[in-house]
Amino acid sequence: MVGSKLRFGAFIAPFHPLRENPTLALERDIELVQHMDRLGYEEAWIGEHHSAGYELIASPELFIATVAERTRHIRLGTGVSSLPYHHPLMLADRINQLDHITRGRVMFGVGPGALPSDAFMMGIPVSAQRDRMDEALDVLVPLLRGEQVTRKTNWFELNEARLQMTPYSRPSVEICVASQVSPTGASAAGRHGAGLLSIGATQTGGFNALASNWAIAEDKARDAGKTMDRDGWRLVGPMHVAETREQARADVRFGLEDWLYYFREVAALPLAPQDGSDPVDALIASGMAVIGTPEDAIAQIERLQAQSGGFGAFLMMDHNWANWDAKRKSYELIARYVAPRFQGLNDNRDASLTWAAQNRPRFIGEAMAAVGARVAQHVQEKGTENIRPEILAAMGMDKKPAAE
């Protein structure tokens, strides 16, 4: 029986250090998604950020519209749209338009907004972001189903609002709510029966909260008369793989420190030691990151499966730890050697190989018998003049003249 198929993809914030040309950095993000599409990755999620200089994509919708024209199969999600930053009708209309022009390849990831500096520039109190996300999601879900909505809050108003176009995807585009450690995202996902996007799944707090957040989502879903589907649960974590662990460690020396600087100085997440010890060792030892081989990546995903109880997709937290060639190679190695282990791609091949090996004596015997019969027929008709002696010996025959 063919095994279940875990999907693979990337969560592309992105993270580009200030020493790079930003225009070329954006083009490389587009090329990455094209590369993933050719390799058979199922999903790419694109972030929204407006400050701090590293996470350069301001509009995931514009990026998705661009890359949709350069790819064929991969599904493309907003990872995530920051709901407090947008009037719900305007955002719903843009997502619905993308749903049509991508012929259903778009996914709608939502969250409250990750960078306090973004909210500050727009005069949005950080303390209000999660409440505003909930209020926006409450109207976005029916809007994206083509329903009419009237609602007034202290920051937006909808009067008999309805999208002009019926959704391309039915009942609507797939909606997924970002979650880290707090129960906010899990609760919102459960209320609407939406997917869950666990962005910090490999960080200690996020990893420890996986099972409890899923339980919270299921409880909220039951209260709302909805159901949660583990196939719609995405877990996110960083990886870089190479043919050997030594090569992987050497690769990430290229850009790891730039990435860590951003999280130490801007995002304020304690991802690496401050005592001068090797950050590569620390990231690996904590379980937060894979810097190693495809076998190490397989072990990490198995660890996440055991902790969570099962999920539908693993998304690599995209980074630029390695140079472009090594990064592309890492994505290729994961597609070639990691994804097949969790997608049942070789189940039938393995069964076929085992079956053929177990039955080899019978098959070889039948093949030899068939060849022997033809050789005997030839000898009977033409003699042995044109047949090599070793063939005759194998058939238990001697040189004989052709029949008169």
Side-chain angles (χ1 to χ4, degrees):
M1 181 176 179
V2 177
S4 60
K5 186 176 181 181
L6 181 71
R7 301 184 307 282
F8 282 76
F11 189 88
I12 304 171
F15 300 107
H16 293 298
L18 269 60
R19 56 189 169 87
E20 289 200 39
N21 182 323
T23 306
L24 297 180
L26 287 171
E27 185 62 35
R28 205 162 61 246
D29 292 331
I30 293 171
E31 290 178 20
L32 174 63
V33 181
Q34 292 177 276
H35 184 55
M36 292 173 63
D37 187 53
R38 289 189 291 268
L39 290 171
Y41 283 90
E42 287 88 0
E43 300 180 0
W45 296 77
I46 314 302
E48 175 192 353
H49 303 88
H50 304 279
S51 61
Y54 265 52
E55 302 174 84
L56 295 179
I57 296 174
S59 171
E61 302 101 324
L62 282 175
F63 187 98
I64 289 170
T66 301
V67 80
E69 289 296 300
R70 305 189 195 185
T71 56
R72 297 178 60 191
H73 306 293
I74 194 167
R75 298 184 71 207
L76 305 163
T78 61
V80 297
S81 294
S82 300
L83 299 190
Y85 305 168
H86 308 277
H87 191 285
L89 180 62
M90 298 295 97
L91 182 57
D93 227 356
R94 295 197 299 271
I95 297 299
N96 194 44
Q97 180 175 321
L98 274 179
D99 187 33
H100 281 268
I101 66 176
T102 65
R103 297 296 193 271
R105 279 200 286 153
V106 72
M107 303 170 290
F108 186 36
V110 303
L115 293 177
S117 49
D118 288 355
F120 176 83
M121 291 194 299
M122 288 176 273
I124 299 171
V126 173
S127 60
Q129 285 181 263
R130 282 158 182 78
D131 289 339
R132 292 189 181 188
M133 181 196 80
D134 289 337
E135 291 170 341
L137 191 57
D138 286 345
V139 299
L140 281 163
V141 170
L143 283 173
L144 287 168
R145 289 177 178 162
E147 300 171 12
Q148 180 176 292
V149 179
T150 296
R151 187 75 54 86
K152 185 174 183 178
T153 72
N154 62 2
W155 67 283
F156 72 80
E157 184 172 349
L158 293 171
N159 296 310
E160 300 178 12
R162 188 197 305 269
L163 300 181
Q164 295 185 92
M165 291 192 294
T166 300
Y168 182 87
S169 299
R170 306 298 173 86
S172 79
V173 299
E174 183 179 4
I175 299 173
C176 208
V177 184
S179 173
Q180 294 210 48
V181 177
S182 81
T184 302
S187 297
R191 284 202 319 277
H192 298 285
L196 193 61
L197 188 58
S198 294
I199 296 174
T202 60
Q203 296 172 23
T204 301
F207 180 81
N208 292 337
L210 288 175
S212 60
N213 273 341
W214 185 255
I216 289 168
E218 287 189 314
D219 286 344
K220 292 290 185 180
R222 279 192 293 269
D223 292 344
K226 309 284 185 180
T227 58
M228 294 295 293
D229 183 357
R230 286 182 180 270
D231 193 57
W233 190 11
R234 281 93 171 169
L235 270 57
V236 182
M239 289 183 171
H240 177 80
V241 303
E243 286 87 352
T244 66
R245 289 178 176 176
E246 292 75 19
Q247 184 61 55
R249 293 172 70 95
D251 288 346
V252 303
R253 301 297 181 188
F254 171 83
L256 178 60
E257 186 53 43
D258 289 324
W259 186 81
L260 292 173
Y261 168 83
Y262 177 73
F263 282 98
R264 284 197 302 261
E265 303 299 326
V266 177
L269 293 177
L271 299 180
Q274 306 282 323
D275 59 4
S277 58
D278 190 340
V280 174
D281 289 338
L283 289 172
I284 295 171
S286 69
M288 188 218 163
V290 171
I291 302 172
T293 65
E295 289 73 25
D296 295 319
I298 289 168
Q300 175 78 311
I301 294 172
E302 289 175 342
R303 174 174 169 261
L304 290 168
Q305 287 179 323
Q307 177 71 8
S308 65
F311 54 94
F314 178 76
L315 308 178
M316 286 174 286
M317 172 65 76
D318 186 62
H319 49 73
N320 288 285
W321 296 349
N323 67 37
W324 179 231
D325 289 339
K327 175 175 174 173
R328 283 168 53 93
K329 183 67 173 179
S330 177
Y331 274 84
E332 180 185 342
L333 289 172
I334 289 169
R336 289 178 66 186
Y337 300 115
V338 180
R341 288 284 292 271
F342 299 96
Q343 296 183 332
L345 297 183
N346 290 320
D347 287 0
N348 279 19
R349 293 178 69 199
D350 181 67
S352 183
L353 178 66
T354 301
W355 173 77
Q358 290 172 344
N359 288 278
R360 183 177 183 274
R362 175 165 64 93
F363 296 151
I364 293 298
E366 291 177 357
M368 291 295 291
V371 171
R374 285 305 180 103
V375 170
Q377 180 182 350
H378 180 83
V379 169
Q380 182 67 28
E381 295 174 356
K382 302 293 185 179
T384 59
E385 186 65 30
N386 296 319
I387 300 178
R388 295 178 64 86
E390 58 267 26
I391 295 177
L392 290 171
M395 298 295 136
M397 300 179 185
D398 296 321
K399 282 277 188 181
K400 298 177 182 178
E404 295 277 337

